[in-house]
Amino acid sequence: LGWRVWASGVVMCRELLARHGEIGLKGADVLEVGAGCGVVGFLAARLGARRVTFTDYLPGLLSNLDKSVELNAEASVGCELRVRHLEWLASVPGLSEESARPVGGDGSCSGGDAMSFAATARDRALAMDETFAVILGSDVCYEDPLPRALAHTLSKRLARPGVAWLTLPVRDWPGESGEAVIERLVNFATNLGMAATVEKAPDLEEEEYEGGTFVRHRGGMVHVWLRHE
């Protein structure tokens, strides 16, 4: 899943260009969750972030991000770029055991066996006490139990004050509407003490969906803003 740029990543980059001042990006310590290819984080670096930490959970994706950091280092002068392991399920006691993700994620993201996964989690883990004034993420709520796990992760990693900005497709799940999925995420977040705002986001143009590279969803896209005051 993380080896490609998704439509919400494109939308978030366009919005970030226009709205980065709203989140105090210049000079900020930024965390990108579910970074995948890191497209949002690399743009944040160019827009004036002091440091960007790219996180994901598959060893193969972290290796790919390492290479991308090398390629983008010169264009990101003045911004420290880091790659770390962050597994959201670990933010809720027992959830990793209840909902263990298969090694290799969806099958396209093979990153080695269980031993290499354990080594990555141990050696490349984001420090437990690190928090961030700005957290960014695009298309990071695509299966259960991610709404719960993501909300807990953001609650623990978001500084006070701090803002998390997620751009999400309103994607219908089997037996659940995309709107209900977003509502669950927001409810988990507010129950953990974060202030939440959901805002309709612009979508791609019709012609940008031609060819099947991106998938249009019935409910379009939303921005979810979560804040610690």
Side-chain angles (χ1 to χ4, degrees):
L1 294 172
W3 296 93
R4 56 175 288 184
V5 176
W6 296 86
S8 54
V10 176
V11 169
M12 188 167 204
C13 284
R14 290 173 178 172
E15 290 284 274
L16 192 59
L17 281 168
R19 305 178 65 177
H20 59 276
E22 295 180 32
I23 59 172
L25 186 63
K26 189 172 181 61
D29 194 2
V30 177
L31 172 68
E32 185 178 6
V33 293
C37 296
V39 61
V40 172
F42 286 119
L43 178 57
R46 296 192 184 199
L47 290 173
R50 178 182 64 82
R51 182 172 69 174
V52 175
T53 302
F54 302 89
T55 59
D56 221 304
Y57 83 105
L58 289 164
L61 289 178
L62 299 185
S63 296
N64 190 57
L65 282 165
D66 288 336
K67 295 181 177 67
S68 295
V69 164
E70 291 179 15
L71 291 171
N72 283 274
E74 186 175 343
S76 306
V77 63
C79 178
E80 179 187 354
L81 305 177
R82 306 187 303 165
V83 179
R84 295 290 186 270
H85 176 271
L86 181 61
E87 170 56 272
W88 308 339
L89 272 62
S91 66
V92 182
L95 192 58
S96 293
E97 291 73 23
E98 293 174 18
S99 309
R101 301 205 240 190
V103 172
D106 68 345
S108 67
C109 301
S110 179
D113 57 22
M115 289 184 64
S116 68
F117 268 55
T120 297
R122 180 187 67 244
D123 299 337
R124 305 204 61 180
L126 183 65
M128 293 290 291
D129 60 348
E130 283 199 64
T131 59
F132 300 82
V134 176
I135 300 179
L136 304 174
S138 61
D139 205 344
V140 288
C141 196
Y142 50 84
E143 64 183 6
D144 265 327
L146 294 189
R148 179 184 178 195
L150 178 58
H152 277 264
T153 298
L154 296 176
S155 177
K156 291 179 178 180
R157 296 296 180 172
L158 189 59
R160 296 179 182 272
V163 57
W165 177 6
L166 311 176
T167 300
L168 308 174
V170 185
R171 178 189 290 115
D172 293 336
W173 292 7
E176 186 174 22
S177 71
E179 291 83 358
V181 173
I182 300 297
E183 184 177 3
R184 276 205 292 137
L185 170 64
V186 168
N187 286 341
F188 280 125
T190 55
N191 287 339
L192 290 166
M194 289 181 282
T197 304
V198 179
E199 170 190 332
K200 183 70 174 176
D203 207 333
L204 298 183
E205 299 295 332
E206 189 67 39
E207 59 268 21
E208 292 179 291
Y209 282 105
E210 295 176 1
T213 300
F214 300 125
V215 177
R216 180 186 290 278
H217 296 283
R218 171 192 57 80
M221 299 190 198
V222 295
H223 297 312
V224 177
W225 302 86
L226 303 172
R227 289 180 170 84
H228 274 158
E229 303 301 339

